[in-house]
Amino acid sequence: MPELPEVEYTARQLRASIVGTTIRQVHVFWRRTLGRPDLPDFLAQIVERHIEGVRRRGKFLLLDLSGNLFLSIHRRMTGNLLLLPPGWCIDTTLQQQDAVAWNTKGPSFHLTSAADEVSHHPETDYCRVCFDLADGRRLLYTDPRKFGRIELWSREDEKQLFAALGPEPLSEEFTVARLSEGLMRHRTVVKQALLNQSIVAGVGNIYADEALFYAHIHPSRRSDSLTPDEVGALREGVVAVLTKGIEHGGTSFNDYRDLWGEAGDNYNHVRVYQQDGQPCQRCSTIIERIVVAQRSTHFCPHCQILTGE
């Protein structure tokens, strides 16, 4: 699942690329991608809206629209956004030829050159929703596993919609005191606590492992056993690994791609995540993999000793 760095990186790309343009038309190829409202209302409300801004809340990508509306996009497991320049055409012939294949793959997108040569963009496969922009570009939402959701909201609903989310880790509200309060309140293993979006928004499996390694904390430690110094180190680790993830364009090791279809480079900079069997970059001890709270977890048994239970 794209975590905060992947969503933030795409948000920054979108902010630089589509703010100020208008949504002219929307094509929905998999209706269940739309969470709310229903399809007729969604199409009626979103067409001809100006895109006024792009933001992020936790793992949600938010597009502010004219008329006091905003679009929320939760990409979940395999969702990506791709921005195509003018000239790319939608090919829906598969819908009539093979309904089963259509439900799996969706339409094709082709670009025809002056020499009548047809190009196919591989990252356009599994398109579920396509936003046609007034300047001729197309913003595609692709999602092979169909878990992602796109929803249209009034801005008046935003506070209630995200009421359960914890503080943004790259904001001033993410203090040592706020993190400590969340860790002490939930009294679970610290890895599971970091994945709890009510404690800190946007952190998932990759960056939880990396932050715990940064702070020298074993992922199976009880969250309420951490000392004030350890909580401070963990907060610093969360901020550091998320910031690094954004700088490197996010972590791509499977499906995640940025707005241009490019893979992020942060997988080449992780220190423990999926590095089991490799020597620790600090001490050369072999990185281990265990399961914590039903999640694959990676740590250094020398740098992250299980103490303070």
Side-chain angles (χ1 to χ4, degrees):
M1 177 184 293
E3 302 180 33
L4 185 153
E6 292 76 51
V7 180
E8 178 64 28
Y9 191 75
T10 303
R12 294 180 184 186
Q13 291 181 317
L14 285 168
R15 197 175 301 128
S17 304
I18 67 170
V19 170
T21 191
T22 300
I23 298 173
R24 188 54 44 84
Q25 186 177 2
V26 181
H27 309 272
V28 179
F29 306 113
W30 183 254
R31 293 185 63 155
R32 278 182 277 179
T33 295
L34 301 182
R36 71 178 304 276
D38 58 25
L39 180 59
D41 286 344
F42 182 90
L43 296 178
Q45 292 183 50
I46 200 169
V47 170
E48 299 301 328
R49 298 288 181 182
H50 300 291
I51 301 174
E52 298 181 339
V54 179
R55 298 176 289 129
R56 178 195 53 76
R57 181 69 173 101
K59 300 177 185 179
F60 289 84
L61 184 66
L62 309 178
L63 274 61
D64 290 320
L65 306 177
S66 57
N68 202 39
L69 298 175
F70 73 93
L71 199 66
S72 70
I73 303 174
H74 194 198
R75 296 153 68 177
R76 294 185 178 164
M77 294 294 292
T78 60
N80 280 313
L81 288 159
L82 179 71
L83 187 61
L84 295 179
W88 285 85
C89 300
I90 304 175
D91 182 353
T92 61
T93 55
L94 183 63
Q95 189 173 20
Q96 289 73 43
Q97 295 174 349
D98 189 336
V100 174
W102 168 263
N103 286 335
T104 300
K105 193 171 183 181
S108 297
F109 289 79
H110 301 289
L111 180 66
T112 303
S113 69
D116 290 331
E117 295 179 351
V118 177
S119 301
H120 171 71
H121 196 311
E123 297 301 332
T124 63
D125 292 343
Y126 307 103
C127 180
R128 307 307 177 193
V129 180
C130 171
F131 299 88
D132 289 351
L133 305 181
D135 57 13
R137 293 179 296 171
R138 297 184 191 271
L139 179 63
L140 276 54
Y141 175 74
T142 65
D143 189 0
R145 298 187 67 179
K146 302 178 181 176
F147 292 149
R149 290 295 178 267
I150 298 176
E151 299 179 325
L152 187 63
W153 299 87
S154 166
R155 292 187 199 176
E156 296 174 353
D157 297 324
E158 182 173 348
K159 185 174 182 180
Q160 180 178 355
L161 176 63
F162 298 125
L165 287 183
E168 285 292 327
L170 301 183
S171 72
E172 293 182 356
E173 65 179 354
F174 185 55
T175 61
V176 173
R178 187 84 178 266
L179 177 58
S180 179
E181 189 276 331
L183 295 175
M184 301 303 164
R185 183 177 72 248
H186 286 272
R187 296 184 178 183
T188 184
V189 294
V190 66
K191 168 68 181 283
Q192 185 174 16
L194 284 179
L195 300 179
N196 187 328
Q197 299 299 292
S198 70
I199 295 178
V200 53
V203 176
N205 208 40
I206 300 171
Y207 298 99
D209 281 1
E210 293 295 302
L212 288 166
F213 175 77
Y214 181 103
H216 295 261
I217 296 171
H218 193 283
S220 295
R221 278 276 300 276
R222 281 282 301 263
S223 63
D224 56 344
S225 74
L226 269 60
T227 67
D229 285 345
E230 288 174 321
V231 175
L234 183 57
R235 179 202 168 276
E236 184 179 294
V238 168
V239 173
V241 300
L242 292 177
T243 300
K244 184 176 74 171
I246 296 170
E247 290 174 352
H248 292 299
T251 305
S252 294
F253 60 90
N254 194 359
D255 297 292
Y256 163 71
R257 295 294 184 271
D258 70 6
L259 194 60
W260 316 120
E262 299 294 331
D265 184 54
N266 195 58
Y267 189 68
N268 294 320
H269 300 274
V270 295
R271 305 182 73 181
V272 289
Y273 182 75
Q274 290 195 347
Q275 301 303 301
D276 45 304
Q278 301 299 314
C280 173
Q281 296 178 28
R282 280 194 195 126
C283 70
S284 298
T285 302
I286 298 301
I287 300 298
E288 295 184 4
R289 175 191 174 276
I290 57 174
V291 176
V292 177
Q294 300 181 325
R295 302 299 298 273
S296 180
T297 300
H298 309 83
F299 73 105
C300 171
H302 180 265
C303 295
Q304 298 166 267
I305 297 173
L306 185 57
T307 59
E309 293 185 283

